[in-house]
mmCIF file of all heavy atoms in Angstrom:
data_model
loop_
_atom_site.group_PDB
_atom_site.id
_atom_site.type_symbol
_atom_site.label_atom_id
_atom_site.label_comp_id
_atom_site.label_asym_id
_atom_site.label_seq_id
_atom_site.Cartn_x
_atom_site.Cartn_y
_atom_site.Cartn_z
ATOM 1 N N THR A 1 0.912 -1.155 -0.077
ATOM 2 C CA THR A 1 -0.027 -0.029 -0.025
ATOM 3 C C THR A 1 0.895 1.242 -0.023
ATOM 4 O O THR A 1 2.100 1.183 0.226
ATOM 5 C CB THR A 1 -0.932 0.142 1.295
ATOM 6 O OG1 THR A 1 -0.061 0.112 2.448
ATOM 7 C CG2 THR A 1 -1.906 -1.117 1.269
ATOM 8 N N VAL A 2 0.251 2.317 -0.387
ATOM 9 C CA VAL A 2 0.986 3.767 -0.043
ATOM 10 C C VAL A 2 0.065 4.330 1.087
ATOM 11 O O VAL A 2 -1.126 4.344 1.023
ATOM 12 C CB VAL A 2 0.800 4.576 -1.484
ATOM 13 C CG1 VAL A 2 1.401 5.851 -1.106
ATOM 14 C CG2 VAL A 2 1.746 3.949 -2.472
ATOM 15 N N VAL A 3 0.835 4.837 2.054
ATOM 16 C CA VAL A 3 0.328 5.451 3.223
ATOM 17 C C VAL A 3 0.779 6.915 3.299
ATOM 18 O O VAL A 3 1.935 7.154 3.051
ATOM 19 C CB VAL A 3 0.627 4.720 4.550
ATOM 20 C CG1 VAL A 3 -0.024 5.394 5.738
ATOM 21 C CG2 VAL A 3 0.331 3.205 4.507
ATOM 22 N N ALA A 4 -0.134 7.846 3.541
ATOM 23 C CA ALA A 4 0.110 9.257 3.624
ATOM 24 C C ALA A 4 -0.129 9.747 5.017
ATOM 25 O O ALA A 4 -1.255 9.411 5.700
ATOM 26 C CB ALA A 4 -0.591 9.989 2.609
ATOM 27 N N TYR A 5 0.788 10.499 5.538
ATOM 28 C CA TYR A 5 0.632 11.083 6.932
ATOM 29 C C TYR A 5 0.697 12.638 6.777
ATOM 30 O O TYR A 5 1.459 13.103 5.949
ATOM 31 C CB TYR A 5 1.933 10.669 7.771
ATOM 32 C CG TYR A 5 1.814 9.146 8.063
ATOM 33 C CD1 TYR A 5 2.604 8.306 7.203
ATOM 34 C CD2 TYR A 5 1.219 8.621 9.118
ATOM 35 C CE1 TYR A 5 2.633 6.915 7.491
ATOM 36 C CE2 TYR A 5 1.226 7.132 9.381
ATOM 37 C CZ TYR A 5 2.002 6.437 8.536
ATOM 38 O OH TYR A 5 2.070 5.071 8.826
ATOM 39 N N ARG A 6 -0.147 13.441 7.610
ATOM 40 C CA ARG A 6 -0.076 14.669 7.663
ATOM 41 C C ARG A 6 0.801 15.109 8.877
ATOM 42 O O ARG A 6 0.723 14.526 9.990
ATOM 43 C CB ARG A 6 -1.445 15.290 7.857
ATOM 44 C CG ARG A 6 -2.217 14.999 9.123
ATOM 45 C CD ARG A 6 -3.487 15.832 9.107
ATOM 46 N NE ARG A 6 -4.497 15.336 8.271
ATOM 47 C CZ ARG A 6 -5.319 14.357 8.357
ATOM 48 N NH1 ARG A 6 -5.405 13.551 9.480
ATOM 49 N NH2 ARG A 6 -6.211 14.039 7.395
ATOM 50 N N LEU A 7 1.614 16.112 8.785
ATOM 51 C CA LEU A 7 2.516 16.594 9.833
ATOM 52 C C LEU A 7 1.717 17.777 10.509
ATOM 53 O O LEU A 7 1.358 18.659 9.858
ATOM 54 C CB LEU A 7 3.811 17.200 9.227
ATOM 55 C CG LEU A 7 4.801 17.585 10.211
ATOM 56 C CD1 LEU A 7 5.336 16.507 10.985
ATOM 57 C CD2 LEU A 7 6.071 18.224 9.374
ATOM 58 N N ALA A 8 1.528 17.488 11.738
ATOM 59 C CA ALA A 8 0.597 18.469 12.438
ATOM 60 C C ALA A 8 1.241 18.795 13.845
ATOM 61 O O ALA A 8 2.012 17.962 14.402
ATOM 62 C CB ALA A 8 -0.654 17.770 12.758
ATOM 63 N N ASP A 9 0.944 19.911 14.279
ATOM 64 C CA ASP A 9 1.335 20.479 15.699
ATOM 65 C C ASP A 9 0.418 19.713 16.665
ATOM 66 O O ASP A 9 -0.756 19.581 16.431
ATOM 67 C CB ASP A 9 1.281 21.883 15.906
ATOM 68 C CG ASP A 9 2.184 22.674 14.972
ATOM 69 O OD1 ASP A 9 3.311 22.506 15.075
ATOM 70 O OD2 ASP A 9 1.709 23.441 14.210
ATOM 71 N N GLU A 10 1.147 19.139 17.663
ATOM 72 C CA GLU A 10 0.282 18.347 18.651
ATOM 73 C C GLU A 10 0.895 18.723 20.012
ATOM 74 O O GLU A 10 2.000 18.235 20.398
ATOM 75 C CB GLU A 10 0.373 16.852 18.368
ATOM 76 C CG GLU A 10 -0.538 15.935 19.208
ATOM 77 C CD GLU A 10 -0.685 14.636 18.765
ATOM 78 O OE1 GLU A 10 -1.381 14.363 17.709
ATOM 79 O OE2 GLU A 10 0.053 13.795 19.306
ATOM 80 N N GLY A 11 0.210 19.456 20.824
ATOM 81 C CA GLY A 11 0.814 20.021 22.002
ATOM 82 C C GLY A 11 1.964 20.803 21.829
ATOM 83 O O GLY A 11 2.022 21.606 20.927
ATOM 84 N N PRO A 12 3.032 20.592 22.496
ATOM 85 C CA PRO A 12 4.346 21.339 22.321
ATOM 86 C C PRO A 12 5.144 20.760 21.255
ATOM 87 O O PRO A 12 6.250 21.286 20.829
ATOM 88 C CB PRO A 12 5.111 21.187 23.757
ATOM 89 C CG PRO A 12 4.523 19.822 24.207
ATOM 90 C CD PRO A 12 3.195 19.759 23.819
ATOM 91 N N GLY A 13 4.696 19.609 20.592
ATOM 92 C CA GLY A 13 5.512 18.946 19.625
ATOM 93 C C GLY A 13 4.864 18.731 18.308
ATOM 94 O O GLY A 13 3.896 19.506 17.994
ATOM 95 N N LEU A 14 5.335 17.707 17.512
ATOM 96 C CA LEU A 14 4.661 17.454 16.298
ATOM 97 C C LEU A 14 4.338 16.083 16.245
ATOM 98 O O LEU A 14 4.635 15.187 16.966
ATOM 99 C CB LEU A 14 5.830 17.652 15.098
ATOM 100 C CG LEU A 14 6.397 19.065 14.959
ATOM 101 C CD1 LEU A 14 7.469 19.027 13.841
ATOM 102 C CD2 LEU A 14 5.214 19.911 14.284
ATOM 103 N N ALA A 15 3.360 15.737 15.335
ATOM 104 C CA ALA A 15 2.886 14.417 15.151
ATOM 105 C C ALA A 15 2.658 14.108 13.655
ATOM 106 O O ALA A 15 2.333 14.957 12.963
ATOM 107 C CB ALA A 15 1.596 14.222 15.840
ATOM 108 N N LEU A 16 2.800 12.754 13.306
ATOM 109 C CA LEU A 16 2.516 12.399 11.930
ATOM 110 C C LEU A 16 1.220 11.621 12.105
ATOM 111 O O LEU A 16 1.172 10.404 12.653
ATOM 112 C CB LEU A 16 3.652 11.443 11.344
ATOM 113 C CG LEU A 16 4.853 12.144 10.921
ATOM 114 C CD1 LEU A 16 6.029 11.228 10.846
ATOM 115 C CD2 LEU A 16 4.640 12.949 9.660
ATOM 116 N N GLN A 17 0.131 12.164 11.606
ATOM 117 C CA GLN A 17 -1.163 11.629 11.662
ATOM 118 C C GLN A 17 -1.565 11.047 10.282
ATOM 119 O O GLN A 17 -1.478 11.575 9.289
ATOM 120 C CB GLN A 17 -2.194 12.725 11.992
ATOM 121 C CG GLN A 17 -1.914 13.494 13.208
ATOM 122 C CD GLN A 17 -2.774 14.735 13.393
ATOM 123 O OE1 GLN A 17 -3.363 15.203 12.413
ATOM 124 N NE2 GLN A 17 -2.791 15.375 14.605
ATOM 125 N N LYS A 18 -1.888 9.694 10.377
ATOM 126 C CA LYS A 18 -2.311 8.928 9.221
ATOM 127 C C LYS A 18 -3.490 9.612 8.556
ATOM 128 O O LYS A 18 -4.503 9.788 9.259
ATOM 129 C CB LYS A 18 -2.571 7.511 9.497
ATOM 130 C CG LYS A 18 -2.846 6.702 8.204
ATOM 131 C CD LYS A 18 -3.239 5.252 8.550
ATOM 132 C CE LYS A 18 -1.955 4.500 8.968
ATOM 133 N NZ LYS A 18 -2.244 2.993 9.028
ATOM 134 N N GLY A 19 -3.296 9.980 7.344
ATOM 135 C CA GLY A 19 -4.380 10.593 6.563
ATOM 136 C C GLY A 19 -5.203 9.691 5.641
ATOM 137 O O GLY A 19 -6.344 9.667 5.658
ATOM 138 N N TRP A 20 -4.481 8.915 4.861
ATOM 139 C CA TRP A 20 -5.150 7.911 4.048
ATOM 140 C C TRP A 20 -4.210 6.747 3.723
ATOM 141 O O TRP A 20 -3.003 6.868 3.748
ATOM 142 C CB TRP A 20 -5.833 8.552 2.779
ATOM 143 C CG TRP A 20 -4.867 9.313 1.973
ATOM 144 C CD1 TRP A 20 -4.632 10.691 2.023
ATOM 145 C CD2 TRP A 20 -3.909 8.785 1.003
ATOM 146 N NE1 TRP A 20 -3.674 11.011 1.123
ATOM 147 C CE2 TRP A 20 -3.194 9.953 0.381
ATOM 148 C CE3 TRP A 20 -3.811 7.578 0.373
ATOM 149 C CZ2 TRP A 20 -2.314 9.789 -0.509
ATOM 150 C CZ3 TRP A 20 -2.737 7.433 -0.575
ATOM 151 C CH2 TRP A 20 -2.020 8.538 -1.012
ATOM 152 N N THR A 21 -4.839 5.635 3.190
ATOM 153 C CA THR A 21 -4.145 4.494 2.692
ATOM 154 C C THR A 21 -4.712 4.046 1.485
ATOM 155 O O THR A 21 -5.938 4.038 1.269
ATOM 156 C CB THR A 21 -4.213 3.347 3.753
ATOM 157 O OG1 THR A 21 -3.699 3.741 5.078
ATOM 158 C CG2 THR A 21 -3.512 2.132 3.351
ATOM 159 N N SER A 22 -3.911 3.855 0.474
ATOM 160 C CA SER A 22 -4.291 3.385 -0.863
ATOM 161 C C SER A 22 -4.905 1.989 -0.900
ATOM 162 O O SER A 22 -4.785 1.253 0.223
ATOM 163 C CB SER A 22 -3.213 3.376 -1.886
ATOM 164 O OG SER A 22 -2.359 2.255 -1.597
ATOM 165 N N ARG A 23 -5.630 1.656 -1.757
ATOM 166 C CA ARG A 23 -6.005 0.166 -2.000
ATOM 167 C C ARG A 23 -4.755 -0.629 -2.090
ATOM 168 O O ARG A 23 -3.715 -0.193 -2.199
ATOM 169 C CB ARG A 23 -6.925 0.028 -3.295
ATOM 170 C CG ARG A 23 -6.239 0.324 -4.499
ATOM 171 C CD ARG A 23 -7.100 0.069 -5.746
ATOM 172 N NE ARG A 23 -6.504 0.436 -7.059
ATOM 173 C CZ ARG A 23 -5.680 -0.376 -7.601
ATOM 174 N NH1 ARG A 23 -5.308 -1.679 -7.174
ATOM 175 N NH2 ARG A 23 -5.118 -0.091 -8.826
ATOM 176 N N ALA A 24 -5.114 -2.017 -1.988
ATOM 177 C CA ALA A 24 -3.940 -2.933 -2.115
ATOM 178 C C ALA A 24 -3.178 -2.824 -3.499
ATOM 179 O O ALA A 24 -3.899 -2.743 -4.595
ATOM 180 C CB ALA A 24 -4.524 -4.310 -1.886
ATOM 181 N N LEU A 25 -1.954 -2.772 -3.377
ATOM 182 C CA LEU A 25 -1.129 -2.617 -4.617
ATOM 183 C C LEU A 25 -0.023 -3.800 -4.608
ATOM 184 O O LEU A 25 0.394 -4.285 -3.629
ATOM 185 C CB LEU A 25 -0.429 -1.338 -4.741
ATOM 186 C CG LEU A 25 -1.330 0.033 -4.690
ATOM 187 C CD1 LEU A 25 -0.600 1.303 -4.494
ATOM 188 C CD2 LEU A 25 -2.202 0.054 -5.908
ATOM 189 N N VAL A 26 0.489 -4.087 -5.790
ATOM 190 C CA VAL A 26 1.457 -5.042 -5.876
ATOM 191 C C VAL A 26 2.863 -4.404 -5.855
ATOM 192 O O VAL A 26 3.207 -3.747 -6.756
ATOM 193 C CB VAL A 26 1.343 -5.891 -7.300
ATOM 194 C CG1 VAL A 26 2.441 -6.939 -7.440
ATOM 195 C CG2 VAL A 26 0.031 -6.510 -7.301
ATOM 196 N N ALA A 27 3.532 -4.580 -4.772
ATOM 197 C CA ALA A 27 4.839 -4.171 -4.462
ATOM 198 C C ALA A 27 5.087 -2.767 -5.027
ATOM 199 O O ALA A 27 5.975 -2.422 -5.952
ATOM 200 C CB ALA A 27 5.843 -5.072 -5.259
ATOM 201 N N PRO A 28 4.384 -1.758 -4.464
ATOM 202 C CA PRO A 28 4.586 -0.355 -4.837
ATOM 203 C C PRO A 28 5.956 0.221 -4.445
ATOM 204 O O PRO A 28 6.515 -0.311 -3.483
ATOM 205 C CB PRO A 28 3.440 0.347 -4.059
ATOM 206 C CG PRO A 28 3.304 -0.428 -2.851
ATOM 207 C CD PRO A 28 3.413 -1.923 -3.241
ATOM 208 N N LEU A 29 6.473 1.141 -5.271
ATOM 209 C CA LEU A 29 7.673 1.672 -5.028
ATOM 210 C C LEU A 29 7.374 3.129 -4.554
ATOM 211 O O LEU A 29 6.258 3.433 -4.312
ATOM 212 C CB LEU A 29 8.659 1.691 -6.216
ATOM 213 C CG LEU A 29 8.972 0.380 -6.835
ATOM 214 C CD1 LEU A 29 9.762 0.521 -8.097
ATOM 215 C CD2 LEU A 29 9.601 -0.580 -5.731
ATOM 216 N N THR A 30 8.470 4.014 -4.436
ATOM 217 C CA THR A 30 8.260 5.330 -3.910
ATOM 218 C C THR A 30 7.271 6.047 -4.718
ATOM 219 O O THR A 30 7.497 6.212 -5.906
ATOM 220 C CB THR A 30 9.660 6.207 -3.873
ATOM 221 O OG1 THR A 30 10.605 5.443 -3.201
ATOM 222 C CG2 THR A 30 9.429 7.465 -3.335
ATOM 223 N N PRO A 31 6.246 6.601 -4.209
ATOM 224 C CA PRO A 31 5.188 7.290 -5.007
ATOM 225 C C PRO A 31 5.792 8.648 -5.607
ATOM 226 O O PRO A 31 6.700 9.161 -5.033
ATOM 227 C CB PRO A 31 4.075 7.543 -4.083
ATOM 228 C CG PRO A 31 4.705 7.574 -2.688
ATOM 229 C CD PRO A 31 5.790 6.577 -2.831
#
């Protein structure tokens, strides 16, 4: 799959929040 995360401020720090995941793919490479 390809997974995308949004970079967000969370409290005093940062977080990578999962935004979406693609459908099943056969051995995907760097999007």
